[in-house]
Amino acid sequence: MINFTVGPVQSCDAVRAIGAEDVPYFRTSEFSAVMLENERLVLKFAGAPKDSKCVFITGSGTASMEATIMNVLTPEDRALVVNGGSFGDRFCKLCDIHNIPYDVIKLETGRQLRESDIEVIAKDKKYTAFIVNKHETSTGVHYNMALISDYCKRNNLLLIVDNISSFLCDDFNMSELGADVMIAGSQKAIACPPGISLIVLSPRALERVTKNDPKCMYFDLKDALANQLRGQTPFTPAVGTLLQMNARLKEIESAGGVAVEVSRAKELAEYFRSKIKDLPLEIVSESLSNAVTPLHPTNGMSAYDIFLKLKDEYGIWVCPNGGEMKDRIFRVGHMGCLNETDYDKLLAGLKEIMK
Ligand SMILES: *Cc1c(COP(=O)(O)O)cnc(C)c1O
């Protein structure tokens, strides 16, 4: 199998080797050291401002999205939410459930965010927070963070960024953007099994968490933050995945750090995109992340049939789209342990299927 989906993705050998071992007991100084090192490396790779903290949640990315909404915002807030696909929609649903007032910037599939989109909605209104999925993975649109950051700085908004599929694939620096929250997940470009998500909190976000009182035990971040001070978690975490994450983060660090990892993803994405020029495939996003290429077959074939054929006849997994996009769009990921030879095999398969 070669896996080009958007997660879980392929892991490197060091991560896979840990997966083959027994999971150790975790209330030990050894495991605490691993957790503190994970926090240090995530804060570094996120460009987090001084005195930021990172907590690790056992639960997929959505768990950390929900914990963020519950702990960082209150019904006294008013948020602006970018909704350009199913992950933007998820933030709207979370705000509904937790009674956070918000307005939506709704974007058609594939469309980049423009300044006028914000202005039309935000005209004469006062907001306290801005919520965005930096890369809307469902459609493959990578939002203009400079525009968002500038708007938030000018209007003093708290900036919450779901960076789940863009972390380690595209440039991102919390300090430069003035971002207050960054969310990531273990099964995207962190390239580990699913089960862990993480939340980086700036001092401004931490202050909000301290004052807030969410009606939930498992997702009370005050408890998680207090435990993480000594490298622990309130409840049993996905210990094995956290150990794997440690191996992966250290590997990135010793290979030159986050900039090197981002350029590796960029080179893979560019390699694939340069080779599809002769195929009846059209890229359907106004702004691409290095993480994913969303493609529309222009020869009349169903995108879903291409996904099935590649899976069943070639052992190659691309990522199908859901709902109304099912027959129109499939996605090819550039996350995880992949190389140019893998893409050559995918391209050869596509060539045969689409001729
Ligand atoms: C994958 C992803 C999530 C989280 O999905 P889970 O299935 O809960 O891990 C959230 N936002 C974006 C942008 C994603 O790509």
Side-chain angles (χ1 to χ4, degrees):
M1 178 185 84
I2 312 177
N3 182 355
F4 299 95
T5 67
V6 301
V9 301
Q10 294 182 173
S11 301
C12 64
D13 289 341
V15 167
R16 286 149 51 111
I18 294 167
E21 288 170 17
D22 275 325
V23 175
Y25 178 66
F26 69 105
R27 299 288 186 204
T28 61
S29 58
E30 288 82 359
F31 187 69
S32 291
V34 165
M35 289 293 278
L36 291 171
E37 186 171 46
N38 283 354
E39 179 179 19
R40 181 179 67 78
L41 289 172
V42 168
L43 291 175
K44 183 173 178 187
F45 294 169
K50 189 171 165 288
D51 298 326
S52 296
K53 299 281 177 199
C54 175
V55 287
F56 298 87
I57 303 292
T58 292
S60 77
T62 307
S64 282
M65 291 167 76
E66 183 151 27
T68 296
I69 298 298
M70 291 169 72
N71 285 268
V72 175
L73 300 178
T74 74
E76 266 78 69
D77 279 298
R78 179 151 208 102
L80 256 180
V81 185
V82 179
N83 181 356
S86 56
F87 293 109
D89 198 52
R90 195 165 296 176
F91 270 132
C92 296
K93 290 199 175 105
L94 288 168
C95 287
D96 282 332
I97 290 169
H98 298 288
N99 297 314
I100 309 300
Y102 67 98
D103 287 326
V104 189
I105 302 170
K106 183 93 178 90
L107 300 173
E108 303 111 69
T109 302
R111 200 136 85 66
Q112 170 65 293
L113 177 74
R114 300 194 234 295
E115 191 160 9
S116 55
D117 298 316
I118 304 179
E119 277 164 6
V120 167
I121 302 287
K123 201 165 153 282
D124 308 327
K125 292 202 207 94
K126 197 100 191 79
Y127 294 95
T128 57
F130 195 106
I131 307 175
V132 65
N133 318 90
K134 178 169 180 273
H135 172 228
E136 175 50 79
T137 325
S138 68
T139 61
V141 176
H142 189 213
Y143 293 126
N144 182 344
M145 288 305 296
L147 172 75
I148 294 170
S149 158
D150 180 57
Y151 178 79
C152 289
K153 283 178 184 168
R154 275 189 287 118
N155 295 282
N156 194 30
L157 301 197
L158 191 89
L159 176 54
I160 296 173
V161 184
D162 163 2
N163 200 19
I164 294 178
S165 66
S166 181
F167 184 56
L168 306 178
C169 282
D170 303 294
D171 288 333
F172 179 75
N173 187 294
M174 283 181 78
S175 303
E176 284 166 18
L177 293 169
D180 295 287
V181 178
M182 184 201 85
I183 305 167
S186 58
Q187 83 278 27
K188 304 282 168 89
I190 296 175
C192 287
I196 291 289
S197 50
L198 61 90
I199 311 171
V200 176
L201 299 151
S202 75
R204 193 157 70 147
L206 285 166
E207 201 183 307
R208 281 171 158 263
V209 172
T210 312
K211 289 187 192 148
N212 215 334
D213 188 24
K215 292 286 165 282
C216 181
M217 186 171 69
Y218 198 80
F219 287 142
D220 189 338
L221 295 186
K222 287 191 288 297
D223 209 2
L225 283 162
N227 274 270
Q228 177 61 28
L229 285 178
R230 56 186 177 106
Q232 287 288 325
T233 52
F235 317 107
T236 309
V239 176
T241 306
L242 285 160
L243 292 171
Q244 289 172 300
M245 199 183 271
N246 186 250
R248 166 75 168 140
L249 295 173
K250 282 198 300 197
E251 206 169 86
I252 293 170
E253 176 76 340
S254 59
V258 67
V260 172
E261 182 60 18
V262 167
S263 53
R264 197 185 65 81
K266 183 167 192 276
E267 278 162 29
L268 274 184
E270 282 174 356
Y271 179 79
F272 174 71
R273 288 166 193 167
S274 72
K275 301 271 175 175
I276 56 168
K277 299 224 155 54
D278 302 332
L279 288 165
L281 288 168
E282 179 192 12
I283 294 176
V284 283
S285 161
E286 286 186 357
S287 171
L288 291 166
S289 155
N290 296 320
V292 171
T293 305
L295 293 162
H296 168 62
T298 54
N299 64 348
M301 280 185 83
S302 150
Y304 195 76
D305 285 346
I306 294 171
F307 153 71
L308 284 178
K309 274 204 157 63
L310 282 170
K311 172 169 75 68
D312 297 338
E313 294 169 26
Y314 295 83
I316 291 175
W317 293 68
V318 295
C319 207
N321 271 44
E324 51 171 25
M325 288 187 285
K326 182 178 169 200
D327 289 313
R328 220 161 48 75
I329 299 172
F330 68 93
R331 291 164 295 165
V332 172
H334 313 296
M335 292 181 271
C337 188
L338 289 164
N339 57 42
E340 291 185 0
T341 313
D342 296 323
Y343 282 97
D344 290 341
K345 290 179 189 153
L346 169 62
L347 289 156
L350 282 169
K351 205 162 273 174
E352 274 180 30
I353 290 172
M354 301 195 76
K355 74 167 177 282

